[in-house]
Amino acid sequence: MREGPDIARIASLVGDPARANMLNALMGGTALTASELALEAGVSLPTASSHLSKLTDGGLLTLASQGRHRYYGLAGAQVAGMIEAIIGVAEAVGPKRVRHGPRDAAMRVARVCYDHLAGEQAVAMLDRLFDRKLLLRDDSQIRLSPSGAAHFAALGIEIDARARRPVCRACLDWSVRRSHLAGALGAAILDKIIAEKWARREKDSRAVVFSPKGRQAFERVFLA
Amino acid sequence: MREGPDIARIASLVGDPARANMLNALMGGTALTASELALEAGVSLPTASSHLSKLTDGGLLTLASQGRHRYYGLAGAQVAGMIEAIIGVAEAVGPKRVRHGPRDAAMRVARVCYDHLAGEQAVAMLDRLFDRKLLLRDDSQIRLSPSGAAHFAALGIEIDARARRPVCRACLDWSVRRSHLAGALGAAILDKIIAEKWARREKDSRAVVFSPKGRQAFERVFLA
DNA sequence: TCGATGCTTCGACCGTGATCGAAACATTGC
DNA sequence: GCAATGTTTCGATCACGGTCGAAGCATCGA
């Protein structure tokens, strides 16, 4: 009975259906208000409020008060990564192996993971960035190379390396089961994809759908 | 309230302290009997038995009956990866940021993750295997290259690619936060490290401690 | 065949935590 | 100020699930 980190505490936070629905909704990356999350979870407002304070106390959510609205969001990419890992297991052991609808397929190709891109496209992108030496695998981190910094700057993506948030971070992809790029750079790239209208967010889903021209542009810039 | 995979079900399985302790114990990779796990979790045998059937029903554990002993083990590397991800979050949000004892430090360097090696050494190894083109990042998988197959065969590690189990698989490392190598090859490498006595398992811990000569040998073979 | 060992099932107990209505609190717009 | 809106706190209810002792199965060794 040696004691490690309190994984039961964290897991039990995710282990309630109402809270799991809230976290799932927040995987889209946008912060939501308490009432939106209550609707999403299918519980009353008081119940939702209670759950939300547990999640924030537990360190899984952050809270940003703006006037009378209170926006809840995931506490970081690591939390998002954990939830993706749980989703992966749930998919694998779930009773419904054979339910790959069209929306499911789109999710596997490209989706939002908190604030960055995930799915086959994202994994392929990270691979190419390594191949082109724009990113370097350091001892225990991913780093932006000088040529990489120049490359992204030319695209209008400039990252302040001194900010608190790490520039590059690996995040395990539940569908592909390999890492994709998170961190400030990962978020900036997703921002650009949306801003350039290369792709749009599917309504009420984490799926990201590229337009034909958008896909070409994305491949030219990131998969070349 | 759109429905995804049942992540609450999976998370709540991990969310009970007794079950979490059991899973943690099984992260060492060796299957354990019900009585051993009861001891590990600090509960009575009937209680443990009840938990264990829930975990197996839930798909997190596999059961191998051998005579009157019943050995429980993790259901796969994906489950192990999920638990590592939860451990990572628990460490990050836990109240004890500054408690890196010596055992903790050893865990970060090298430890067992289910049946393969994890920690800084394991992440560095995977990086070098890519650099040396012994492994290839394919579209959505890690593959063994022809030269890699030859290389490992020369070390006495031969993997049957037609077996049900994937040869190579990525597994996210909770301490380093990047991928290390799982799958049949990852397991075989750990086997070799132990068999060659390059390192030994720390008692009652997942830590793997290299001997001075063993470290040299490991670095020569896998980090060169 | 018989006791010993390992494990599960049964039954009963009990505490934690999820739930919601009502009321209190906070902020904004008028 | 004062109503309207968004959110939390309080209080009470209730059910689910964790817990263990006792008994029941199964397997092994002699």
Side-chain angles (χ1 to χ4, degrees):
Chain A
M1 204 163 76
R2 71 193 101 114
E3 290 304 329
D6 196 349
I7 94 174
R9 191 177 123 75
I10 301 299
S12 70
L13 282 174
V14 189
D16 175 84
R19 287 195 292 263
N21 281 332
M22 291 174 171
L23 290 168
N24 204 28
L26 291 171
M27 284 295 283
T30 53
L32 299 172
T33 65
S35 6
E36 288 169 321
L37 287 166
L39 197 66
E40 197 73 38
V43 294
S44 74
L45 250 165
T47 306
S49 183
S50 152
H51 285 310
L52 288 168
S53 49
K54 278 172 193 167
L55 287 170
T56 42
D57 288 351
L60 298 189
L61 296 187
T62 53
L63 170 58
S65 288
Q66 281 181 17
R68 59 183 158 184
H69 295 271
R70 312 193 75 182
Y71 286 95
Y72 291 90
L74 290 190
Q78 192 178 15
V79 175
M82 174 188 75
I83 295 174
E84 284 246 315
I86 299 173
I87 291 176
V89 172
E91 285 264 324
V93 308
K96 41 170 186 188
R97 300 255 183 172
V98 273
R99 281 191 46 186
H100 299 314
R103 187 174 318 176
D104 224 48
M107 288 267 288
R108 281 167 203 280
V109 173
R111 68 180 176 280
V112 171
C113 174
Y114 178 44
D115 62 357
H116 53 271
L117 194 68
E120 292 163 17
Q121 292 285 332
V123 171
M125 178 180 77
L126 181 57
D127 285 351
R128 287 298 294 140
L129 293 177
F130 281 136
D131 289 347
R132 293 164 72 188
K133 312 277 189 209
L134 300 178
L135 296 183
L136 304 175
R137 285 190 300 270
D138 207 351
D139 244 2
S140 59
Q141 296 189 348
I142 300 176
R143 278 192 307 112
L144 191 57
S145 71
S147 63
H151 180 259
F152 287 114
L155 295 173
I157 297 177
E158 306 224 30
I159 307 286
D160 184 356
R162 293 156 317 189
R164 249 184 30 255
R165 173 168 196 198
V167 175
C168 302
R169 169 151 291 172
C171 180
L172 195 67
D173 200 289
W174 70 255
S175 53
V176 178
R177 301 275 278 283
R178 297 204 14 247
S179 291
H180 56 246
L181 181 65
L185 180 58
I189 290 175
L190 176 60
D191 285 348
K192 181 173 179 70
I193 290 169
I194 301 296
E196 298 276 358
K197 295 205 175 20
W198 292 347
R200 59 180 169 70
R201 295 282 311 272
E202 197 65 30
K203 178 94 176 129
D204 279 340
S205 159
R206 292 166 58 199
V208 169
V209 184
F210 281 82
S211 69
K213 283 170 70 175
R215 174 173 297 260
Q216 284 176 19
F218 174 76
E219 291 179 349
R220 192 174 56 245
V221 175
F222 292 111
L223 297 183
Chain B
M1 203 163 76
R2 71 195 99 114
E3 290 304 328
D6 197 348
I7 93 174
R9 190 176 124 78
I10 301 300
S12 69
L13 283 174
V14 188
D16 174 83
R19 288 194 292 261
N21 281 331
M22 291 174 171
L23 291 168
N24 205 27
L26 291 172
M27 285 295 282
T30 52
L32 299 173
T33 65
S35 7
E36 288 169 321
L37 287 166
L39 196 66
E40 197 74 38
V43 294
S44 73
L45 246 165
T47 306
S49 183
S50 151
H51 286 310
L52 288 169
S53 48
K54 278 173 194 168
L55 286 170
T56 41
D57 288 351
L60 298 190
L61 296 187
T62 52
L63 170 58
S65 288
Q66 281 181 18
R68 58 182 158 184
H69 294 272
R70 310 192 75 182
Y71 287 94
Y72 290 90
L74 290 188
Q78 193 179 16
V79 174
M82 174 188 75
I83 294 175
E84 283 247 316
I86 299 174
I87 290 177
V89 172
E91 285 263 323
V93 309
K96 41 170 185 187
R97 299 253 182 172
V98 273
R99 281 193 45 190
H100 298 316
R103 188 174 317 177
D104 225 48
M107 288 267 288
R108 281 166 203 282
V109 173
R111 67 180 175 280
V112 171
C113 173
Y114 179 43
D115 62 357
H116 53 272
L117 194 69
E120 292 163 17
Q121 293 284 333
V123 171
M125 178 180 77
L126 181 56
D127 285 351
R128 286 299 294 140
L129 292 177
F130 281 135
D131 289 346
R132 293 165 71 188
K133 312 277 188 211
L134 299 179
L135 296 184
L136 303 175
R137 286 190 298 271
D138 206 350
D139 243 2
S140 59
Q141 296 188 348
I142 300 177
R143 277 193 306 112
L144 191 57
S145 71
S147 63
H151 179 260
F152 287 113
L155 295 172
I157 297 177
E158 305 224 31
I159 308 286
D160 184 356
R162 293 155 317 189
R164 251 187 25 258
R165 174 167 196 199
V167 175
C168 302
R169 169 151 291 172
C171 179
L172 196 65
D173 199 290
W174 69 254
S175 53
V176 178
R177 302 273 280 281
R178 297 206 12 247
S179 291
H180 56 246
L181 181 65
L185 180 58
I189 290 175
L190 176 60
D191 285 347
K192 182 174 179 67
I193 290 169
I194 300 297
E196 299 276 356
K197 295 206 175 19
W198 291 347
R200 59 179 170 72
R201 296 282 312 271
E202 196 65 32
K203 178 95 177 129
D204 279 341
S205 160
R206 291 166 58 199
V208 170
V209 184
F210 281 83
S211 69
K213 283 171 69 177
R215 174 174 296 263
Q216 284 177 19
F218 174 75
E219 290 179 352
R220 189 175 58 245
V221 175
F222 292 112
L223 297 183

mmCIF file of all heavy atoms in Angstrom, chain B residues 63-88:
data_model
loop_
_atom_site.group_PDB
_atom_site.id
_atom_site.type_symbol
_atom_site.label_atom_id
_atom_site.label_comp_id
_atom_site.label_asym_id
_atom_site.label_seq_id
_atom_site.Cartn_x
_atom_site.Cartn_y
_atom_site.Cartn_z
ATOM 1 N N LEU B 63 -7.662 -11.653 -16.680
ATOM 2 C CA LEU B 63 -7.602 -12.659 -15.634
ATOM 3 C C LEU B 63 -7.054 -13.941 -16.219
ATOM 4 O O LEU B 63 -7.512 -14.408 -17.256
ATOM 5 C CB LEU B 63 -9.016 -12.902 -15.090
ATOM 6 C CG LEU B 63 -9.214 -14.087 -14.162
ATOM 7 C CD1 LEU B 63 -8.308 -13.957 -12.947
ATOM 8 C CD2 LEU B 63 -10.660 -14.162 -13.740
ATOM 9 N N ALA B 64 -6.047 -14.500 -15.568
ATOM 10 C CA ALA B 64 -5.493 -15.781 -15.983
ATOM 11 C C ALA B 64 -5.577 -16.738 -14.816
ATOM 12 O O ALA B 64 -4.927 -16.542 -13.795
ATOM 13 C CB ALA B 64 -4.037 -15.607 -16.426
ATOM 14 N N SER B 65 -6.410 -17.749 -14.967
ATOM 15 C CA SER B 65 -6.548 -18.725 -13.895
ATOM 16 C C SER B 65 -5.480 -19.798 -14.030
ATOM 17 O O SER B 65 -5.304 -20.379 -15.103
ATOM 18 C CB SER B 65 -7.925 -19.392 -13.961
ATOM 19 O OG SER B 65 -8.910 -18.485 -13.547
ATOM 20 N N GLN B 66 -4.776 -20.046 -12.944
ATOM 21 C CA GLN B 66 -3.791 -21.120 -12.940
ATOM 22 C C GLN B 66 -4.005 -21.915 -11.675
ATOM 23 O O GLN B 66 -3.544 -21.527 -10.613
ATOM 24 C CB GLN B 66 -2.378 -20.565 -12.997
ATOM 25 C CG GLN B 66 -1.962 -20.138 -14.392
ATOM 26 C CD GLN B 66 -0.546 -19.625 -14.425
ATOM 27 O OE1 GLN B 66 0.217 -19.882 -13.517
ATOM 28 N NE2 GLN B 66 -0.211 -18.893 -15.470
ATOM 29 N N GLY B 67 -4.700 -23.020 -11.839
ATOM 30 C CA GLY B 67 -5.011 -23.800 -10.658
ATOM 31 C C GLY B 67 -5.869 -23.003 -9.718
ATOM 32 O O GLY B 67 -6.815 -22.349 -10.134
ATOM 33 N N ARG B 68 -5.522 -23.018 -8.476
ATOM 34 C CA ARG B 68 -6.362 -22.264 -7.536
ATOM 35 C C ARG B 68 -5.935 -20.812 -7.430
ATOM 36 O O ARG B 68 -6.506 -20.051 -6.654
ATOM 37 C CB ARG B 68 -6.333 -22.941 -6.169
ATOM 38 C CG ARG B 68 -4.965 -23.064 -5.580
ATOM 39 C CD ARG B 68 -5.050 -23.791 -4.236
ATOM 40 N NE ARG B 68 -3.772 -24.380 -3.884
ATOM 41 C CZ ARG B 68 -3.583 -25.131 -2.806
ATOM 42 N NH1 ARG B 68 -4.579 -25.392 -2.009
ATOM 43 N NH2 ARG B 68 -2.399 -25.623 -2.544
ATOM 44 N N HIS B 69 -4.892 -20.455 -8.162
ATOM 45 C CA HIS B 69 -4.488 -19.046 -8.172
ATOM 46 C C HIS B 69 -5.155 -18.342 -9.348
ATOM 47 O O HIS B 69 -5.339 -18.935 -10.402
ATOM 48 C CB HIS B 69 -2.973 -18.913 -8.314
ATOM 49 C CG HIS B 69 -2.230 -19.434 -7.137
ATOM 50 N ND1 HIS B 69 -1.935 -18.667 -6.041
ATOM 51 C CD2 HIS B 69 -1.739 -20.668 -6.874
ATOM 52 C CE1 HIS B 69 -1.290 -19.410 -5.151
ATOM 53 N NE2 HIS B 69 -1.146 -20.633 -5.629
ATOM 54 N N ARG B 70 -5.487 -17.097 -9.124
ATOM 55 C CA ARG B 70 -6.047 -16.324 -10.234
ATOM 56 C C ARG B 70 -5.216 -15.057 -10.362
ATOM 57 O O ARG B 70 -5.192 -14.208 -9.466
ATOM 58 C CB ARG B 70 -7.508 -15.979 -9.964
ATOM 59 C CG ARG B 70 -8.289 -17.210 -9.560
ATOM 60 C CD ARG B 70 -9.765 -16.955 -9.567
ATOM 61 N NE ARG B 70 -10.282 -16.918 -10.939
ATOM 62 C CZ ARG B 70 -11.552 -16.667 -11.220
ATOM 63 N NH1 ARG B 70 -12.396 -16.398 -10.257
ATOM 64 N NH2 ARG B 70 -11.971 -16.663 -12.463
ATOM 65 N N TYR B 71 -4.530 -14.951 -11.462
ATOM 66 C CA TYR B 71 -3.619 -13.833 -11.652
ATOM 67 C C TYR B 71 -4.293 -12.707 -12.425
ATOM 68 O O TYR B 71 -4.785 -12.914 -13.539
ATOM 69 C CB TYR B 71 -2.360 -14.276 -12.397
ATOM 70 C CG TYR B 71 -1.445 -15.095 -11.526
ATOM 71 C CD1 TYR B 71 -1.513 -16.481 -11.517
ATOM 72 C CD2 TYR B 71 -0.529 -14.463 -10.694
ATOM 73 C CE1 TYR B 71 -0.689 -17.235 -10.700
ATOM 74 C CE2 TYR B 71 0.303 -15.207 -9.873
ATOM 75 C CZ TYR B 71 0.211 -16.592 -9.887
ATOM 76 O OH TYR B 71 1.022 -17.323 -9.073
ATOM 77 N N TYR B 72 -4.285 -11.536 -11.828
ATOM 78 C CA TYR B 72 -4.847 -10.358 -12.476
ATOM 79 C C TYR B 72 -3.722 -9.491 -13.022
ATOM 80 O O TYR B 72 -2.708 -9.281 -12.349
ATOM 81 C CB TYR B 72 -5.661 -9.542 -11.473
ATOM 82 C CG TYR B 72 -6.939 -10.214 -11.052
ATOM 83 C CD1 TYR B 72 -6.974 -11.053 -9.952
ATOM 84 C CD2 TYR B 72 -8.106 -10.018 -11.777
ATOM 85 C CE1 TYR B 72 -8.148 -11.679 -9.568
ATOM 86 C CE2 TYR B 72 -9.281 -10.639 -11.401
ATOM 87 C CZ TYR B 72 -9.302 -11.465 -10.298
ATOM 88 O OH TYR B 72 -10.454 -12.078 -9.933
ATOM 89 N N GLY B 73 -3.914 -8.984 -14.218
ATOM 90 C CA GLY B 73 -2.910 -8.105 -14.823
ATOM 91 C C GLY B 73 -3.590 -7.000 -15.616
ATOM 92 O O GLY B 73 -4.771 -7.105 -15.946
ATOM 93 N N LEU B 74 -2.855 -5.949 -15.906
ATOM 94 C CA LEU B 74 -3.414 -4.863 -16.713
ATOM 95 C C LEU B 74 -3.806 -5.397 -18.084
ATOM 96 O O LEU B 74 -3.143 -6.274 -18.628
ATOM 97 C CB LEU B 74 -2.405 -3.734 -16.889
ATOM 98 C CG LEU B 74 -2.093 -2.904 -15.652
ATOM 99 C CD1 LEU B 74 -1.238 -1.704 -16.031
ATOM 100 C CD2 LEU B 74 -3.356 -2.445 -14.960
ATOM 101 N N ALA B 75 -4.866 -4.836 -18.648
ATOM 102 C CA ALA B 75 -5.393 -5.379 -19.892
ATOM 103 C C ALA B 75 -4.579 -4.960 -21.110
ATOM 104 O O ALA B 75 -4.832 -5.426 -22.204
ATOM 105 C CB ALA B 75 -6.846 -4.956 -20.076
ATOM 106 N N GLY B 76 -3.604 -4.090 -20.945
ATOM 107 C CA GLY B 76 -2.806 -3.714 -22.096
ATOM 108 C C GLY B 76 -2.073 -2.416 -21.884
ATOM 109 O O GLY B 76 -2.250 -1.717 -20.877
ATOM 110 N N ALA B 77 -1.233 -2.091 -22.874
ATOM 111 C CA ALA B 77 -0.401 -0.901 -22.752
ATOM 112 C C ALA B 77 -1.244 0.363 -22.802
ATOM 113 O O ALA B 77 -0.870 1.396 -22.226
ATOM 114 C CB ALA B 77 0.644 -0.878 -23.864
ATOM 115 N N GLN B 78 -2.375 0.284 -23.473
ATOM 116 C CA GLN B 78 -3.213 1.482 -23.552
ATOM 117 C C GLN B 78 -3.756 1.846 -22.165
ATOM 118 O O GLN B 78 -3.794 3.009 -21.784
ATOM 119 C CB GLN B 78 -4.364 1.255 -24.522
ATOM 120 C CG GLN B 78 -5.066 2.548 -24.873
ATOM 121 C CD GLN B 78 -6.193 2.329 -25.862
ATOM 122 O OE1 GLN B 78 -6.639 1.200 -26.048
ATOM 123 N NE2 GLN B 78 -6.652 3.406 -26.468
ATOM 124 N N VAL B 79 -4.152 0.827 -21.427
ATOM 125 C CA VAL B 79 -4.624 1.067 -20.066
ATOM 126 C C VAL B 79 -3.484 1.631 -19.223
ATOM 127 O O VAL B 79 -3.665 2.598 -18.457
ATOM 128 C CB VAL B 79 -5.166 -0.242 -19.448
ATOM 129 C CG1 VAL B 79 -5.510 -0.037 -17.993
ATOM 130 C CG2 VAL B 79 -6.369 -0.722 -20.215
ATOM 131 N N ALA B 80 -2.306 1.055 -19.378
ATOM 132 C CA ALA B 80 -1.149 1.565 -18.637
ATOM 133 C C ALA B 80 -0.888 3.021 -18.992
ATOM 134 O O ALA B 80 -0.603 3.847 -18.118
ATOM 135 C CB ALA B 80 0.084 0.713 -18.947
ATOM 136 N N GLY B 81 -1.012 3.339 -20.280
ATOM 137 C CA GLY B 81 -0.790 4.723 -20.710
ATOM 138 C C GLY B 81 -1.789 5.669 -20.076
ATOM 139 O O GLY B 81 -1.430 6.776 -19.655
ATOM 140 N N MET B 82 -3.022 5.235 -19.993
ATOM 141 C CA MET B 82 -4.045 6.071 -19.368
ATOM 142 C C MET B 82 -3.697 6.331 -17.910
ATOM 143 O O MET B 82 -3.781 7.470 -17.433
ATOM 144 C CB MET B 82 -5.409 5.388 -19.462
ATOM 145 C CG MET B 82 -6.495 6.138 -18.714
ATOM 146 S SD MET B 82 -8.055 5.220 -18.640
ATOM 147 C CE MET B 82 -7.681 3.972 -17.417
ATOM 148 N N ILE B 83 -3.277 5.313 -17.214
ATOM 149 C CA ILE B 83 -2.961 5.475 -15.800
ATOM 150 C C ILE B 83 -1.767 6.409 -15.641
ATOM 151 O O ILE B 83 -1.739 7.261 -14.753
ATOM 152 C CB ILE B 83 -2.722 4.105 -15.155
ATOM 153 C CG1 ILE B 83 -4.032 3.323 -15.175
ATOM 154 C CG2 ILE B 83 -2.211 4.243 -13.728
ATOM 155 C CD1 ILE B 83 -3.920 1.921 -14.685
ATOM 156 N N GLU B 84 -0.789 6.271 -16.528
ATOM 157 C CA GLU B 84 0.339 7.202 -16.472
ATOM 158 C C GLU B 84 -0.143 8.631 -16.669
ATOM 159 O O GLU B 84 0.334 9.563 -16.017
ATOM 160 C CB GLU B 84 1.386 6.852 -17.540
ATOM 161 C CG GLU B 84 2.255 5.672 -17.196
ATOM 162 C CD GLU B 84 3.715 6.073 -16.970
ATOM 163 O OE1 GLU B 84 4.227 6.863 -17.763
ATOM 164 O OE2 GLU B 84 4.318 5.600 -15.996
ATOM 165 N N ALA B 85 -1.081 8.823 -17.575
ATOM 166 C CA ALA B 85 -1.594 10.170 -17.821
ATOM 167 C C ALA B 85 -2.279 10.715 -16.574
ATOM 168 O O ALA B 85 -2.116 11.893 -16.220
ATOM 169 C CB ALA B 85 -2.556 10.160 -19.002
ATOM 170 N N ILE B 86 -3.031 9.868 -15.899
ATOM 171 C CA ILE B 86 -3.710 10.316 -14.677
ATOM 172 C C ILE B 86 -2.679 10.625 -13.596
ATOM 173 O O ILE B 86 -2.781 11.638 -12.896
ATOM 174 C CB ILE B 86 -4.710 9.244 -14.196
ATOM 175 C CG1 ILE B 86 -5.780 9.010 -15.255
ATOM 176 C CG2 ILE B 86 -5.371 9.671 -12.892
ATOM 177 C CD1 ILE B 86 -6.727 7.866 -14.938
ATOM 178 N N ILE B 87 -1.667 9.781 -13.491
ATOM 179 C CA ILE B 87 -0.598 10.043 -12.531
ATOM 180 C C ILE B 87 0.027 11.405 -12.815
ATOM 181 O O ILE B 87 0.296 12.185 -11.900
ATOM 182 C CB ILE B 87 0.480 8.940 -12.611
ATOM 183 C CG1 ILE B 87 -0.065 7.627 -12.061
ATOM 184 C CG2 ILE B 87 1.734 9.348 -11.835
ATOM 185 C CD1 ILE B 87 0.907 6.463 -12.180
ATOM 186 N N GLY B 88 0.249 11.683 -14.088
ATOM 187 C CA GLY B 88 0.851 12.963 -14.462
ATOM 188 C C GLY B 88 0.039 14.137 -13.960
ATOM 189 O O GLY B 88 0.583 15.083 -13.381
#
